[in-house]
Amino acid sequence: MLKVVVKFKEKVLNTFEADKEEITIGRSEENDITIDNLGVSKRHARISRYLDGYSIEDLDSTNGTLLNKKKTSWSRLTNKDTVTIGKHTLEINFPEQPKKNMPDPAEDTIRVSD
């Protein structure tokens, strides 16, 4: 499950937890994570879930999206990344995806009839 801690100048404003395919971030109340600040676009960014993790995408916002202090239009997220939107910081937390123990098909032998 994804956990996003929204901060302003180190003060925690909100904690958002979800297990959704897509989470929108912006100034509009229609977003999953709302940041009430004029430096944030109405629909600013989107976090998307994949089988093995998450990504962040800037939605052509006016002021851009920073991932670990570098401007990004789309990037894969890792646990403990920091996203900056306007003057707000979003701390990204999610458990590492466990590697599935899939059997190696080369290890199995099947009997073929004569």
Side-chain angles (χ1 to χ4, degrees):
M1 176 175 299
L2 179 69
K3 179 179 176 184
V4 180
V5 178
V6 181
K7 293 182 172 184
F8 182 74
K9 296 183 179 181
E10 296 304 316
K11 180 183 177 190
V12 175
L13 300 179
N14 193 7
T15 300
F16 180 84
E17 292 186 65
D19 196 25
K20 297 172 64 173
E21 295 290 323
E22 182 179 287
I23 296 164
T24 57
I25 305 162
R27 195 174 71 242
S28 169
E29 293 285 332
E30 296 171 2
N31 292 289
D32 298 300
I33 298 175
T34 303
I35 301 174
D36 186 18
N37 184 282
L38 292 176
V40 178
S41 295
K42 288 181 183 177
R43 284 187 44 85
H44 197 104
R46 170 178 39 228
I47 296 174
S48 299
R49 184 179 67 189
Y50 295 95
L51 290 175
D52 60 346
Y54 295 89
S55 67
I56 183 91
E57 177 184 5
D58 183 80
L59 299 176
D60 296 321
S61 66
T62 301
N63 293 309
T65 300
L66 303 178
L67 176 61
N68 301 321
K69 300 183 181 180
K70 294 181 183 175
K71 192 168 186 171
T72 185
S73 58
W74 185 95
S75 295
R76 301 276 299 179
L77 291 170
T78 58
N79 193 30
K80 307 290 184 194
D81 274 342
T82 302
V83 174
T84 305
I85 294 179
K87 293 184 178 182
H88 291 73
T89 303
L90 287 71
E91 293 179 356
I92 308 298
N93 298 287
F94 57 92
E96 298 297 325
Q97 298 293 333
K99 303 270 188 217
K100 295 195 181 219
N101 291 331
M102 300 290 288
D104 183 355
E107 296 294 324
D108 294 334
T109 304
I110 58 170
R111 184 173 301 274
V112 186
S113 61
D114 294 331

